[in-house]
């Protein structure tokens, strides 16, 4: 069930990002402004999700490490397998599509709008970049 939901979410996000990038190049300034605002806010939300996934991954890794430290007789093999599976799934979400979505919006929208001629669009970009650098400095610095 989780895999199916992730596939549908991935499909939906691909479509949303495609629309945002297409409309951000529109001749209508209101579309460019709105798409920039939506795209920047979307990256901020993806970063929040990535932080939650990272925390869940760290908790899972601690639980797995604790379980593996137990002796063979006390170790619950089903729990170890479940934790390893969850760890793998969380890493694939974090390293996979979350990072891909953020990179698509960053390279397709931010890079083209942070030096835009309208100050309000530039300020949206720079303000959101400041929000992004706090939780993920390795990704945006």
């Amino acid at each position: 069930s989780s895999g199916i939901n992730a596939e549908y979410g991935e499909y939906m996000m691909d479509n949303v990002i495609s629309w945002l990038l297409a409309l951000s190049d529109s001749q209508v300034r209101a579309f460019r402004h709105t798409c920039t605002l939506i795209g920047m806010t979307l990256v901020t939300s993806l970063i929040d999700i990535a932080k939650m996934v990272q925390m869940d991954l760290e908790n899972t890794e601690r639980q797995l490490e604790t379980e593996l430290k137990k002796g063979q007789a006390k170790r619950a093999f089903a729990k170890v397998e479940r934790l390893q599976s969850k760890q793998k799934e969380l890493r694939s979400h974090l390293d996979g599509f979350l990072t891909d979505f953020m990179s698509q919006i960053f390279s397709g929208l931010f890079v083209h709008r942070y030096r835009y001629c309208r100050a309000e669009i530039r300020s949206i970009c720079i303000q959101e970049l400041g929000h992004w650098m706090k939780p993920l400095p390795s990704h945006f610095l």
Side-chain angles (χ1 to χ4, degrees), residues 44-45 59 63 67 120 129:
T44 302
S45 298
N59 289 338
Q63 289 173 351
E67 198 64 36
E120 62 268 10
L129 179 63

Side-chain angles (χ1 to χ4, degrees), residues 18-34:
S18 294
W19 275 100
L20 283 174
L21 296 180
L23 288 172
S24 72
D25 285 335
S26 171
Q27 295 294 319
V28 180
R29 184 179 297 155
F31 285 170
R32 290 191 304 267
H33 179 273
T34 303

